[in-house]
């Protein structure tokens, strides 16, 4: 027997040796008022889920049940969601979803200073308590389905110490990402973070290879590079800006194409991955779900997306008048009461009341919203706990809407209860709804 042959771990051994860290502390500033009260990963999605449910469900479906969620900004809603909906893993099997909030561990004034620093400040706990061999780092704010165990296997087979998940994007949009070039073995040969002029892929002049913000590290290498980086006087404490360039310099950085592990493809059979970091992308990703053949199949039980839906009564539709198309191509969650209203191409979350004569078209309506009589809403996002007064039209006259609400670059109107109160000259300081 050749003793030089290295025995590779099987998938079962690999997932048991892996700790997942979901970075869920981001502000989500491009979502404006939608993230005033909640961290971006806690934002509602798809009728009865939250954005972080996709990363968590991908972990469980991949067999990865040792998970830490790193939180910081406006974390209350997110922590309640994790406690109420994701606290079922059996500790006796070494499985868990632990919460790792910012604890100012360096000194009493230092919060997480970047993505890499969020891991560094938890490194003692990771190394001494969890004791992983591999660390998978995820963003908590993307919509996609992925088998992470395949990425882990590719990491081992390549001999990498750091593997970055990558996806092909249009070159004109690539300036929002870290962009890389790879050789025939997927070894990364160059990497630049958010370039103004993104380099194109070889043979694909209109396409760039972009980082998804998903990383696999050998734990020992990650500890070492973080220790070295934290003392650098010029560091940004960021994986894309600092850690990946260091791994590239040391020739241990490899890429993993998302197409190899994608478990959710669109109607054309192409991979589906969305960063819902803007009002337009959040609105569009929700609307993607309502057509006959949706861009992302949330009904696919072969790769289920778990969540924490609230207990509600069934939704009720009551029509006293003849309406040609009362409900058309829409997702409507539980506990809604719809009376003589028209709803088309919209996503309605739970416990929504829509009164007679109102028209809802291409809208995303978050939980516990009341819409009055004879309202007309088009291309809107309505935040939770909002009451739309009788007769109000939104999305019909964007010039008027810009004076009252927030209108995105794509013409989507965001409406919150605070905006409506300001419109009526009311005090908004007393608002204290739990999200």
């Amino acid at each position: 027997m050749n003793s030089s042959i290295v025995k590779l771990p099987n998938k079962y051994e690999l997932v048991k040796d892996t700790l997942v860290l979901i970075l869920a502390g981001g502000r989500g500033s491009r979502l404006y008022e939608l993230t005033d009260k909640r961290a971006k990963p806690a934002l509602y999605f798809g009728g009865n889920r939250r954005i972080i449910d996709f990363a968590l469900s991908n972990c469980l479906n991949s067999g990865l049940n040792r998970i830490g969620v790193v939180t910081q900004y406006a974390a209350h809603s997110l922590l309640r969601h994790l406690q109420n909906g994701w606290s079922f893993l059996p500790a006796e099997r070494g499985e868990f979803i632990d919460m790792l909030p910012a604890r100012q561990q360096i000194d009493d004034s230092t919060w997480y200073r970047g993505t890499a620093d969020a891991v560094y400040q938890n490194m003692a706990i990771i190394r001494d308590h969890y004791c992983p061999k591999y660390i998978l780092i995820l963003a908590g704010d993307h919509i996609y389905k992925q088998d992470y165990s395949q990425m882990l296997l590719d990491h081992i087979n390549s001999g990498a110490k750091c593997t970055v998940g990558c996806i092909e994007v249009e070159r004109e949009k690539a300036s929002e990402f870290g962009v890389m070039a790879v050789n025939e073995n997927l070894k990364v040969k160059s990497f630049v973070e958010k370039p103004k002029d993104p380099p194109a892929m070889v043979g694909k002049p209109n396409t760039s290879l972009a980082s998804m913000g998903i990383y696999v590290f050998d734990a020992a290498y990650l500890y070492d590079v973080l220790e070295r980086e934290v003392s650098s006087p010029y560091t940004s404490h960021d994986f894309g800006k600092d850690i990946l360039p260091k791994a590239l310099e040391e020739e241990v950085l490899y890429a993993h194409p998302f197409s190899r592990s994608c478990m959710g493809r669109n109607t054309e059979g192409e991979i589906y991955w969305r960063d819902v970091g803007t009002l337009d992308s959040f609105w569009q990703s929700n609307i993607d779900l309502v057509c006959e053949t949706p861009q992302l199949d949330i009904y696919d039980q072969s790769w289920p997306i778990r969540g924490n839906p609230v207990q509600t009564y069934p939704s009720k539709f009551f029509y006293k008048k003849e309406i040609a198309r009362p409900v058309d191509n829409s997702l409507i969650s539980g506990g809604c009461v719809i009376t003589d209203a028209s709803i088309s191409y919209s996503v309605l979350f739970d416990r929504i009341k829509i009164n007679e004569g109102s028209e809802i078209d291409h809208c995303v309506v978050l939980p516990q919203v009341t819409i009055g009589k004879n309202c007309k809403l088009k291309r809107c996002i309505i935040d939770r706990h909002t009451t739309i007064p009788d007769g109000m039209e939104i999305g019909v006259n964007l010039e008027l809407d810009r004076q009252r609400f927030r209108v995105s670059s794509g013409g989507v109107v965001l409406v919150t209860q605070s905006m409506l109160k300001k419109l009526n000259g009311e005090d908004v300081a007393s608002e204290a709804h739990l999200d």
Side-chain angles (χ1 to χ4, degrees), residues 99-110:
M99 287 158 276
L100 301 172
R103 294 183 296 277
Q104 297 175 304
Q105 296 191 73
I106 294 178
D107 55 50
D108 61 4
S109 62
T110 304

Side-chain angles (χ1 to χ4, degrees), residues 251-409:
E251 299 187 343
V252 294
L253 181 62
Y254 283 74
H256 170 83
F258 180 47
S259 57
R260 286 185 49 80
S261 53
C262 176
M263 301 302 292
R265 297 177 179 268
N266 66 13
T267 51
E268 289 76 40
E270 299 171 344
I271 56 177
Y272 186 94
W273 179 86
R274 295 291 184 273
D275 179 351
V276 288
T278 66
L279 293 177
D280 288 325
S281 61
F282 174 76
W283 175 85
Q284 185 62 62
S285 296
N286 275 279
I287 298 301
D288 280 349
L289 303 174
V290 303
C291 60
E292 182 178 359
T293 52
Q295 292 294 295
L296 181 69
D297 186 2
I298 58 175
Y299 297 96
D300 176 18
Q301 290 304 301
S302 68
W303 198 267
I305 303 301
R306 192 187 188 281
N308 182 35
V310 297
Q311 294 293 322
T312 63
Y313 287 106
S315 288
K316 176 182 178 181
F317 300 83
F318 187 68
Y319 289 90
K320 298 172 287 184
K321 305 173 183 178
E322 288 190 8
I323 299 179
R325 301 179 74 175
V327 180
D328 175 33
N329 289 352
S330 295
L331 296 180
I332 299 177
S333 294
C336 297
V337 178
I338 315 296
T339 304
D340 281 329
S342 174
I343 304 168
S344 181
Y345 285 92
S346 295
V347 177
L348 273 59
F349 286 73
D350 56 271
R351 295 167 288 176
I352 291 168
K353 183 177 182 181
I354 304 179
N355 289 293
E356 59 191 66
S358 288
E359 300 177 19
I360 314 300
D361 180 22
H362 283 80
C363 292
V364 179
V365 186
L366 301 192
Q368 295 174 276
V369 166
T370 297
I371 298 172
K373 298 178 181 179
N374 302 312
C375 296
K376 189 171 184 179
L377 277 58
K378 185 175 182 179
R379 288 173 60 86
C380 297
I381 302 169
I382 311 298
D383 198 10
R384 187 177 182 180
H385 297 300
T386 297
T387 299
I388 307 296
D390 293 350
M392 178 166 275
E393 294 188 353
I394 306 173
V396 179
N397 183 339
L398 292 184
E399 288 304 315
L400 175 61
D401 288 334
R402 286 188 178 95
Q403 300 172 29
R404 306 181 296 175
F405 309 116
R406 183 175 294 279
V407 180
S408 73
S409 59

Side-chain angles (χ1 to χ4, degrees), residues 46 48-49 60 118 150 176 228 242 244 326 418 423 429 431:
N48 60 2
R49 296 292 188 267
L60 267 61
Q150 182 61 55
E176 302 173 7
R228 286 185 281 137
D242 304 300
L244 294 193
S418 295
L423 192 63
E431 287 190 359

Side-chain angles (χ1 to χ4, degrees), residues 56 60 79-92 95-99 306-308:
L56 288 167
L60 267 61
L79 295 176
R80 289 177 67 243
H81 178 67
L82 296 174
Q83 290 168 340
N84 294 336
W86 290 93
S87 58
F88 55 86
L89 293 178
E92 64 273 14
E95 300 175 0
F96 53 84
I97 297 178
D98 283 352
M99 287 158 276
R306 192 187 188 281
N308 182 35

Side-chain angles (χ1 to χ4, degrees), residues 48-68:
N48 60 2
R49 296 292 188 267
R50 304 219 186 195
I51 292 174
I52 197 172
D53 292 333
F54 283 82
L56 288 167
S57 296
N58 286 338
C59 288
L60 267 61
N61 292 332
S62 303
L64 291 159
N65 298 331
R66 304 175 70 236
I67 305 165

